[in-house]
Amino acid sequence: MMKRLFLVVTVFLLIGGLVQAETIRLLMESVPDTRYIQELLPQFKAETGIDVDMEVISYIDMHSKLVPQLVSPKGSYDAIVVDFYWVGEFTKAGWLMSLDDLVKRDNFDTGVYVPKLIELVGRVDNTLYMLPFYNYSMAIIYRKDMIEDPKEQAAFKAKYGMDLKIPQTWDDYWKQVEFFSRDTNNDGKTDMFGTVIQGQRGDCISMQWSNYLYAQGGQYNDSNWNPTLNSAAGVAALTAYREALQKFSPPGSESYCFDEGFNVLAQGKAFSLQTFNIMFAGFEDPESSKVVGKVAITPNPGGGLNGAWGWAIPKSSPNKEAAWKFLKWVESYEIAKKRALLGGAPTQTKIFVDPEVVAARSYYPILGKILAGAQQFPVFTYTTQLVEEMGRELNLAATGEKDVKEALDAAAEAFRKLLIKDGKLSK
């Protein structure tokens, strides 16, 4: 009888253990790289026995959902992803756990990452808080078939006295934007556009205009955090941006964001688009694009905006050790490479030139060059507020509702006030 009772209790405990298998919860943005990880999760469960409950939501809802959990002594999420916009805010508030001890204990190699990404979404004030997850640096996506067309090459040479080629300088690109803006129906209306402006206030215009600023040799601030976006370079950049909106981009572009920009080029109605490198794969997908095989990607002159997300473990995480196991697994070379093969945006240097990855996606070495030359956006406690205030001023200038210099001066003053509030500048 006792043996039977012991057997029943043992089976009950085993079943209970199976039912109560260890689970970690993640909050993720709804982007392709998240989907690729979801496809690979059965491998993590097989290797560790840990289940992953992944909550996937849109970007617009992430910040408001995260903050209450980060403030709480015990939150609901074991691991999270952090946009570079939020790095200054989250680290200054003390919401993220340092990963330094875990990295040292387990001999995890952070040297595999592109240095600019460790700087952007990795280490803050000599403390490692994040592992770079995926990058979204910006570049120029253009119609290579139009550049390679002998008739277009001859016409371009006749008009400008220079060869039509992959743009290397801002002058190259700007002449191409002008040249390919045309009326193909002969009805007096431009219907092929040289570029697509994404002028919606806030994030959309702030991110895209940054590429114009960098191309003119401008920066947002100097090494002492003094705002410089209203310099002569800034004025030249915003003047060109306004001209592009008014002459070389579709009507209504002042309210476009990244999806609208993608759709115009994907439908074959534009020569080029300055956007995130992660958008490129979509142009090679017949379900979303009419220009499959006709586009290529190249660095923005002067460097494009650098953008990235990082993995982090909140201090409020209920299960930090299991979360760390997941981070080590998802950022192992094997899994990072599988994500790249699926079309992900790598953060580890060697993946951009891995022979198997390049064989599957020949443009990845170019993505590596784009990332190597990318420029950093100001990262501080109030980056999100800067984007909103600056985006409003940029939009007003681009649409002609405000003088360019006046708008940039207002944006620079808003930037300065936020830096003073953050303690980076004195009054």
Side-chain angles (χ1 to χ4, degrees):
M1 183 69 179
M2 290 298 293
K3 287 183 179 180
R4 184 179 298 173
L5 181 61
F6 176 76
L7 180 61
V8 170
V9 171
T10 302
V11 171
F12 178 79
L13 290 174
L14 285 172
I15 292 173
L18 290 173
V19 172
Q20 297 178 9
E22 190 172 22
T23 300
I24 59 170
R25 292 193 67 208
L26 277 63
L27 182 66
M28 305 282 290
E29 184 194 11
S30 179
V31 293
D33 268 275
T34 295
R35 186 172 69 252
Y36 304 146
I37 291 171
Q38 288 176 310
E39 293 179 22
L40 297 169
L41 285 180
Q43 182 176 336
F44 178 68
K45 174 65 182 294
E47 292 177 9
T48 65
I50 300 173
D51 285 312
V52 177
D53 178 6
M54 187 181 289
E55 184 178 353
V56 181
I57 62 177
S58 65
Y59 179 82
I60 196 170
D61 297 320
M62 285 194 72
H63 188 274
S64 60
K65 188 146 193 176
L66 272 175
V67 171
Q69 298 295 325
L70 296 172
V71 172
S72 172
K74 187 174 182 180
S76 299
Y77 302 114
D78 298 290
I80 60 173
V81 288
V82 180
D83 188 14
F84 85 89
Y85 275 15
W86 310 331
V87 168
E89 176 190 1
F90 286 14
T91 54
K92 187 169 184 176
W95 292 335
L96 305 183
M97 172 183 166
S98 168
L99 302 179
D100 284 314
D101 290 342
L102 294 172
V103 164
K104 183 177 181 180
R105 183 193 73 187
D106 296 347
N107 197 29
F108 184 89
D109 184 10
T110 59
V112 301
Y113 294 107
V114 175
K116 284 191 175 183
L117 294 180
I118 283 289
E119 179 185 345
L120 186 65
V121 286
R123 199 171 292 280
V124 178
D125 296 332
N126 296 317
T127 298
L128 185 73
Y129 291 104
M130 293 155 287
L131 300 179
F133 166 29
Y134 79 89
N135 86 85
Y136 58 90
S137 53
M138 299 188 80
I140 297 173
I141 299 176
Y142 66 96
R143 288 283 297 274
K144 65 179 180 180
D145 62 322
M146 296 171 75
I147 280 186
E148 294 169 356
D149 186 322
K151 291 183 180 179
E152 298 287 10
Q153 290 175 347
F156 188 86
K157 185 71 175 279
K159 182 173 184 177
Y160 297 105
M162 59 190 293
D163 292 332
L164 179 60
K165 59 184 180 180
I166 299 171
Q168 303 293 318
T169 68
W170 181 255
D171 186 56
D172 290 342
Y173 178 61
W174 196 244
K175 283 183 170 60
Q176 291 171 16
V177 166
E178 179 186 53
F179 178 73
F180 286 115
S181 295
R182 55 185 63 164
D183 171 14
T184 63
N185 293 323
N186 298 314
D187 60 1
K189 297 180 180 179
T190 300
D191 50 28
M192 170 58 73
F193 303 95
T195 188
V196 188
I197 291 300
Q198 293 137 90
Q200 186 181 109
R201 293 185 180 188
D203 177 73
C204 307
I205 193 170
S206 296
M207 297 298 96
Q208 194 187 40
W209 178 75
S210 296
N211 299 278
Y212 279 65
L213 178 65
Y214 301 141
Q216 299 299 325
Q219 293 290 329
Y220 279 98
N221 54 272
D222 64 21
S223 59
N224 295 316
W225 282 102
N226 294 297
T228 58
L229 71 161
N230 56 339
S231 64
V235 171
L238 189 50
T239 300
Y241 194 83
R242 178 160 69 179
E243 184 177 0
L245 173 66
Q246 295 176 352
K247 293 183 179 180
F248 310 131
S249 186
S253 295
E254 66 275 5
S255 61
Y256 278 14
C257 201
F258 305 109
D259 288 344
E260 291 86 353
F262 173 90
N263 290 334
V264 173
L265 183 57
Q267 294 303 308
K269 298 183 181 300
F271 161 70
S272 70
L273 174 65
Q274 286 168 300
T275 191
F276 303 121
N277 73 76
I278 58 174
M279 307 286 272
F280 184 78
F283 293 110
E284 295 297 284
D285 181 356
E287 293 187 7
S288 60
S289 172
K290 293 182 179 179
V291 293
V292 174
K294 297 180 180 180
V295 294
I297 188 167
T298 194
N300 183 67
L305 173 79
N306 194 15
W309 288 74
W311 296 104
I313 301 176
K315 285 185 178 178
S316 61
S317 168
N319 196 341
K320 296 179 176 63
E321 276 294 334
W324 174 240
K325 284 182 182 178
F326 175 79
L327 263 59
K328 287 192 297 180
W329 173 82
V330 79
E331 286 302 319
S332 66
Y333 192 81
E334 176 194 358
I335 301 303
K337 179 178 174 179
K338 285 183 177 180
R339 281 166 38 205
L341 287 169
L342 290 169
T347 57
Q348 299 184 26
T349 307
K350 289 183 179 179
I351 290 179
F352 291 101
V353 292
D354 183 287
E356 188 178 355
V357 173
V358 175
R361 300 184 179 275
S362 60
Y363 58 91
Y364 269 51
I366 298 174
L367 297 186
K369 292 179 181 179
I370 290 168
L371 184 52
Q375 299 271 12
Q376 309 289 58
F377 192 83
V379 176
F380 65 119
T381 304
Y382 303 108
T383 295
T384 302
Q385 289 91 320
L386 170 64
V387 167
E388 291 304 316
E389 295 196 38
M390 182 176 69
R392 180 186 64 251
E393 296 297 332
L394 293 175
N395 178 273
L396 288 170
T399 56
E401 297 175 65
K402 200 168 186 177
D403 175 74
V404 165
K405 185 63 165 62
E406 182 184 351
L408 287 174
D409 285 344
E413 181 59 23
F415 188 15
R416 180 178 298 279
K417 288 179 178 179
L418 291 171
L419 290 167
I420 292 171
K421 185 178 179 181
D422 198 25
K424 294 191 178 298
L425 288 180
S426 61
K427 294 182 179 180

